[in-house]
Amino acid sequence: MISDSNVPQIEFQKVTKSYGPGRLVLQSIDLKILKDEFVSLIGPSGCGKSTLLKLIAGLTQPSVGTIRVDGRMPQNTRKTMSFIFQDATLLPWRTVTQNVGLGLELERVISQRRKERIASLLALVGLGEVADAYPRELSGGMKMRVSIARALATHPRLLLMDEPFAALDEMTRDRLNEELLRLRSEQRWTAVFVTHSVAEAVFLSTRIMVLAPNPGRIYAVLPVALPFPRTAELRECPEFETLVARASHILREALLQ
Amino acid sequence: MKRRLVGVANALAVFVAVLVVWQLALWIFHVPRYMLPSPWAVAHAVSARFPSLLTSTAITAEESLGGLMASVIVGVIIALIFAQSRWIRKMLYPYTILLQTVPIVAVAPLILMWVGAGIGAVALIAFIISLAPIIANTTQGLISVDEDLVHLFLMHNASSAQKLFKLRLPHAVPSLFVGIRIASGISVIGAITGELYAGSSQVGVGGLGYSILYASSQLETDYLFALVLAATMLGFSFFFVAMFLEWYFLHNWHESARTPESE
């Protein structure tokens, strides 16, 4: 029981992914992500970070090697995962409430339980007032909140996020970063987060994996020892800035590889 | 509101101008009545023969609506089959193009010969002509679902039925309505074309197409004009109802149907 949190939730062994001959996306990836970690994947475009995330979700299969999530095949552990995409991917014909309830509905959770769960989530992400609005009426930041609420509705133990805030302005992005950490402190999930932003990665993560391109591989792993809870003020701390500078430096090196 | 009123006033002004030019042309060029009746003669024909005009319009409306509704049902079913695989689409899509390019005027006599003249045959012609836009648009809607949305459904282990009813079909509804809008106008054209060949069981009483033929053979040009007017109005009202339904079902969430009256 004591060692429980040291059992890797995600484990890659010599995973290679190629789309046909000559199109090698990821080469020989070994990685372990432990329970309760927040791992960011960062790297130049074309380094296969989105593919890595899709491999964890079982949305694409490795060409070589094995992937285990909770000791099982990814496709068989989807019930414990949620995926947040770069676009909010809301169904435009559903209201905010109906969108948040989509996962629960697909997993056939009874409607009474669903209603309670949705109401508490909407309150949690601050969307109570727009519960009956359609996605069209929402700003980009609000849509992303709905997307996050939908992902959390099914009680995931693992949250996979593919550049979820890339399309948002910096202020909205910072605020959602802070909220994401607040939600995590209340709900405890493991996170794998793909991003282009070094500052975002440092702010959110317990560990940053820097990927190098051609073919995609893990170039360096940078632990982020900043204490939780992290608030907006953290961004002004010298320790934070030092880490951002270091991560940026490693990222530059990875690009030159 | 004010802009809408101005729009209506402009449209009315054009209408009045056309009537004035029409009447002036008659006076200036001394056109004989059987060639071109005056606007008043047409108006008189409408009021004097209103019951039979209404009967003809109702018959044509019934045939068009029957054909259109059948094309929606059959078209959606075919689109669902098309959406199953690229392979099926490649194999069968050329035939839907044929459906669109076949000259309905040439095929109508054949159909009447095969199924026998009557309302059913005419509705069948309206059905054939309306089918292609329904199939093409609905198929497009069914297959153009964003890949991430499909992944989202996969992540929640959605069944095939859930993917169909909660994702693909609702996503295709706006495209289906585009198809219905296109088909609504041409279904009336199809029905009238069919009636030109179908004849009638009762001399002088039939759909608009039949009555147009009959009126022209009798040189009742004023009534012929009234019939053409009715046919145009019928097509227009089909189109308008289709637009309204589209707005009614989509205005909450879909961009295209947001404000139908602001062009």
Side-chain angles (χ1 to χ4, degrees), chain B residues 63-132:
Chain B
E63 293 156 348
S64 316
L65 195 63
L68 181 61
M69 290 199 318
S71 76
V72 171
I73 294 166
V74 175
V76 169
I77 292 170
I78 293 176
L80 284 171
I81 296 168
F82 277 19
Q84 296 308 306
S85 82
R86 187 188 298 271
W87 184 73
I88 295 175
R89 282 199 294 285
K90 273 201 172 142
M91 195 168 67
L92 296 176
Y93 195 69
Y95 296 96
T96 65
I97 296 173
L98 275 184
L99 207 59
Q100 217 162 359
T101 52
V102 64
I104 199 73
V105 184
V107 181
L110 270 178
I111 288 167
L112 290 163
M113 200 170 76
W114 289 334
V115 300
I119 284 186
V122 175
L124 182 62
I125 292 163
F127 161 77
I128 291 170
I129 203 173
S130 331
L131 193 56

Side-chain angles (χ1 to χ4, degrees), chain A residues 37 55 115 218 225:
Chain A
E37 275 197 288
L55 284 166
K115 268 185 205 149
I218 295 173

Side-chain angles (χ1 to χ4, degrees), chain B residues 2 27 45 79 109 129 144 154 156 159 161 178-179 182 243-244:
Chain B
K2 198 177 168 191
W27 282 333
I129 203 173
S144 64
L154 276 180
H156 293 292
S159 66
V178 172
I182 298 167
M243 285 253 296
F244 175 77

Side-chain angles (χ1 to χ4, degrees), chain A residues 25-26 29 42-50 52 211-217:
Chain A
V25 184
L26 289 166
I29 304 279
I42 191 163
S45 33
C47 69
K49 36 190 202 307
S50 289
L52 209 157
L211 276 70
N214 305 319
R217 61 202 185 279

Side-chain angles (χ1 to χ4, degrees), chain A residues 153-255:
Chain A
T154 48
H155 290 289
R157 283 188 285 128
L158 173 61
L159 207 54
L160 305 170
M161 292 169 272
D162 191 0
E163 300 187 46
F165 309 135
L168 304 177
D169 63 85
E170 208 180 328
M171 266 172 61
T172 311
R173 171 194 282 227
D174 285 353
R175 224 179 39 243
L176 283 172
N177 280 175
E178 291 145 28
E179 264 180 60
L180 198 61
L181 287 187
R182 180 177 60 82
L183 291 168
R184 181 164 169 270
S185 71
E186 289 169 25
Q187 302 189 319
R188 313 258 300 175
W189 22 262
T190 308
V192 184
F193 189 96
V194 169
T195 180
H196 271 119
S197 159
V198 174
E200 185 174 57
V202 171
F203 185 80
L204 292 171
S205 314
T206 57
R207 208 148 57 107
I208 298 173
M209 288 187 185
V210 181
L211 276 70
N214 305 319
R217 61 202 185 279
I218 295 173
Y219 177 73
V221 178
L222 180 69
V224 181
L226 301 169
F228 288 94
R230 295 176 186 172
T231 53
E233 290 77 49
L234 179 71
R235 295 198 184 88
E236 291 140 29
C237 291
E239 294 93 329
F240 178 81
E241 280 165 12
T242 312
L243 275 166
V244 171
R246 260 193 74 195
S248 304
H249 181 77
I250 297 172
L251 189 59
R252 257 197 317 278
E253 279 180 359
L255 233 163

Side-chain angles (χ1 to χ4, degrees), chain A residues 54 57 59 75 78-79 81 83 85 89 91-94 102-103 105-108 134 136 150 154, chain B residues 146 148-149 151-159 162 166-167 170-171 250-255 258:
Chain A
K54 290 211 164 81
L59 292 172
Q75 303 93 291
R78 280 194 189 134
K79 251 196 133 79
M81 303 185 216
F83 204 113
F85 301 88
T89 60
L91 301 179
W93 53 88
R94 285 172 167 247
L102 178 72
E105 199 180 309
L106 294 176
E107 293 177 11
R108 300 200 160 83
Y134 285 87
R136 197 187 66 194
R150 178 182 64 192
T154 48
Chain B
D146 182 53
D148 280 347
L149 282 173
H151 284 158
L152 174 72
F153 273 63
L154 276 180
M155 289 305 290
H156 293 292
N157 296 316
S159 66
Q162 284 177 326
K166 292 184 194 285
L167 181 59
H171 181 264
L250 302 182
H251 71 282
N252 273 334
W253 63 272
H254 198 256
E255 298 297 337
R258 207 166 177 180

